[in-house]
Amino acid sequence: MRGLKLNQWLTALTVGFALFAMFFGAGNLILPPFIGLNTGSHWYWALAGFFITAIIAPFLGVLMVARVGKHFTDLGWLIHPKLISALTFVIILFIGPLLALPRTGATTYEIGIQPLLPNLSPLCFSISFFKVALVLSISKSLCFSIFFFGVALVLSISKSRIVDVIGKFLTPFLLIVLILLIFLGVVYPEAEAMPTNLGASQSFVLGFTEGYQTMDVMASVIFAGIIIAAIVNKGYNEPSECTRVTIMGGVVSTLCLLFIYGGLIYLGAHSGYEGKEGVILRTDLLLYISHNTLGKWGTIGVALAIGLACLTTAIALISSVSSFFEGLTRGRVSYKVWAVITTVVSIVISVNSVDSIIAYAVYILLFVYPIVFTIILYVLVFGKWVQRPAPYVTAVVVTAIVSAIDVAGIALLDMPWWLAYMLRDWIFVVKQWLPLGSFKLEWLLPSLVAFVVVAVVTRSSPAKRHA
């Protein structure tokens, strides 16, 4: 029995570190310091919010998939195959070419290239055609994006072992640098945590919504299959054993993420950073902290580690997205074609700054995240007793409606004045009426009520397993 528990813990450690590596993307580094800077002396409230959406929720996503099967699409029998397939399609787009992939290129450029090569000139070249000279000037960011994603494309198509080699050395190196950064920053803080205009609840909401930007909840339900397969390969074939090891591994990854994220939020709160001309960019803040704490060479080390880590992430994402769409088209469009399409889209979007990508991602994530969160919570809590699709589908629809109202309320400032004027009154009335709105959980109670009511009404209906 002791040997069994020891083996379980050894497997759990492996799974925990794998979960940590999957969830701790290099792009996530830029979020916690920004949260800490904006919440100041209330940084611990922000950490509580970030803890829910960036640490606990992704772990619950993996646990949920382990409870129902081996892949997120296995939820089709419980909820509805078309709904799960559509949601999988949307998630793949967002953790791929629309959001996560472009952010890897933009983050690498702003942290790894601009600080090291600040005087890099735009690429200019001329083409002579029928005695007409065409001079093209390509921006520095576009030049780099083409190079960055070009390398990622070549390595994702060739499936070179260099990715595995870089990954095995990079993660430990990056962790050592971060632990050193956090330790020195806590022992020798740059400044006292500044007072903030945000109250405790507002600080919590900032941390909660910034956690959406990690996109780890969406990634968790897709990557869960990799983790579960690894556990099964270790000999844990029984669902109860698989779930137990998943929980133990989740505890390991949760503690690691809590230490890193909490430390970075603390460093942001005690950085004393005022921005450049009053403008605070997330990447500039991280560079400021690393330079003040570790010096010039420490900043270079952080920049290189983050850049290479973003490259390995980009390679993995291009490969995952291309494989998904190749399967979706049943091989009629090849893996290589999808890899090229994914790369081109990512290049176009990555020309935007990291903060610009984050700004437009807010609207998408505020709508999609609660839907995925709803499925995770209700399957984990009620999946054993409620095995009819109607309650789950109803809860998802209600969550989608409430989330759409929330997004519309935020987007009012960017709407044409006449449309904003027409929508403003009723949207604000609805938002004020919804409970838990101050904590960005306005979808929770309406979806829960809808779930319970439909579950009670349909309790006499037999459970249906969709093909």
Side-chain angles (χ1 to χ4, degrees), residues 292-315:
N292 284 0
T293 306
L294 301 177
K296 178 182 177 181
W297 293 107
T299 301
I300 293 174
V302 170
L304 289 175
I306 289 175
L308 291 173
C310 281
L311 178 61
T312 56
T313 300
I315 294 166

Side-chain angles (χ1 to χ4, degrees), residues 114-432:
Q114 278 188 325
L116 302 182
L117 301 171
N119 299 318
L120 184 66
S121 299
L123 176 65
C124 298
F125 59 93
S126 62
I127 302 175
S128 296
F129 186 71
F130 289 116
K131 298 182 180 180
V132 176
L134 175 63
V135 179
L136 301 178
S137 179
I138 303 178
S139 68
K140 291 183 288 185
S141 59
L142 180 56
C143 282
F144 175 76
S145 292
I146 293 172
F147 171 77
F148 177 86
F149 285 108
V151 173
L153 174 63
V154 170
L155 293 177
S156 64
I157 288 178
S158 66
K159 299 183 184 297
S160 170
R161 285 193 69 253
I162 192 173
V163 178
D164 295 329
V165 173
I166 292 175
K168 287 178 182 177
F169 287 103
L170 266 181
T171 300
F173 174 68
L174 185 57
L175 274 177
I176 291 171
V177 172
L178 287 176
I179 291 171
L180 182 62
L181 179 70
I182 291 170
F183 176 78
L184 293 178
V186 171
V187 175
Y188 306 106
E190 288 295 318
E192 294 294 326
M194 298 297 292
T196 176
N197 294 326
L198 301 179
S201 62
Q202 292 171 313
S203 298
F204 176 88
V205 168
L206 178 62
F208 190 91
T209 53
E210 282 286 308
Y212 288 176
Q213 291 288 350
T214 66
M215 291 178 267
D216 284 344
V217 161
M218 294 191 292
S220 71
V221 296
I222 302 299
F223 293 157
I226 301 173
I227 294 298
I228 295 168
I231 295 174
V232 171
N233 288 336
K234 292 288 186 179
Y236 301 98
N237 298 308
E238 292 295 324
S240 59
E241 289 183 332
C242 185
T243 301
R244 188 182 305 116
V245 174
T246 303
I247 292 174
M248 293 161 68
V251 171
V252 174
S253 67
T254 295
L255 293 176
C256 292
L257 288 169
L258 181 61
F259 172 78
I260 297 295
Y261 285 147
L264 291 172
I265 289 175
Y266 178 89
L267 294 186
H270 292 78
S271 66
Y273 185 63
E274 297 180 356
K276 296 177 181 178
E277 298 179 355
V279 178
I280 297 174
L281 300 178
R282 291 167 173 82
T283 49
D284 287 346
L285 173 59
L286 180 60
L287 288 169
Y288 175 85
I289 292 173
S290 63
H291 185 272
N292 284 0
T293 306
L294 301 177
K296 178 182 177 181
W297 293 107
T299 301
I300 293 174
V302 170
L304 289 175
I306 289 175
L308 291 173
C310 281
L311 178 61
T312 56
T313 300
I315 294 166
L317 289 176
I318 290 173
S319 180
S320 299
V321 171
S322 303
S323 298
F324 172 81
F325 282 109
E326 183 185 34
L328 189 66
T329 58
R330 298 180 181 178
R332 286 190 290 269
V333 181
S334 70
Y335 170 91
K336 291 184 178 180
V337 172
W338 282 117
V340 172
I341 293 172
T342 301
T343 301
V344 170
V345 174
S346 301
I347 289 172
V348 172
I349 297 178
S350 69
V351 174
N352 296 293
S353 67
V354 172
D355 284 83
S356 297
I357 295 173
I358 288 175
Y360 87 75
V362 165
Y363 301 110
I364 299 171
L365 296 175
L366 284 176
F367 178 74
V368 178
Y369 234 75
I371 293 174
V372 180
F373 212 165
T374 295
I375 292 175
I376 291 171
L377 284 177
Y378 294 167
V379 169
L380 282 176
V381 176
F382 301 109
K384 186 176 180 180
W385 300 280
V386 181
Q387 296 189 354
R388 297 176 297 279
Y392 297 99
V393 173
T394 304
V396 167
V397 170
V398 171
T399 299
I401 293 172
V402 174
S403 298
I405 293 172
D406 181 43
V407 171
I410 296 173
L412 281 176
L413 295 176
D414 298 324
M415 291 181 181
W417 68 268
W418 55 272
L419 183 58
Y421 181 78
M422 291 173 58
L423 297 177
R424 181 183 59 201
D425 292 340
W426 75 267
I427 285 179
F428 283 144
V429 168
V430 173
K431 283 175 66 68
Q432 290 176 0

Side-chain angles (χ1 to χ4, degrees), residues 32-44:
F34 180 80
I35 296 170
L37 180 66
N38 281 275
T39 55
S41 55
H42 285 147
W43 65 269
Y44 45 88

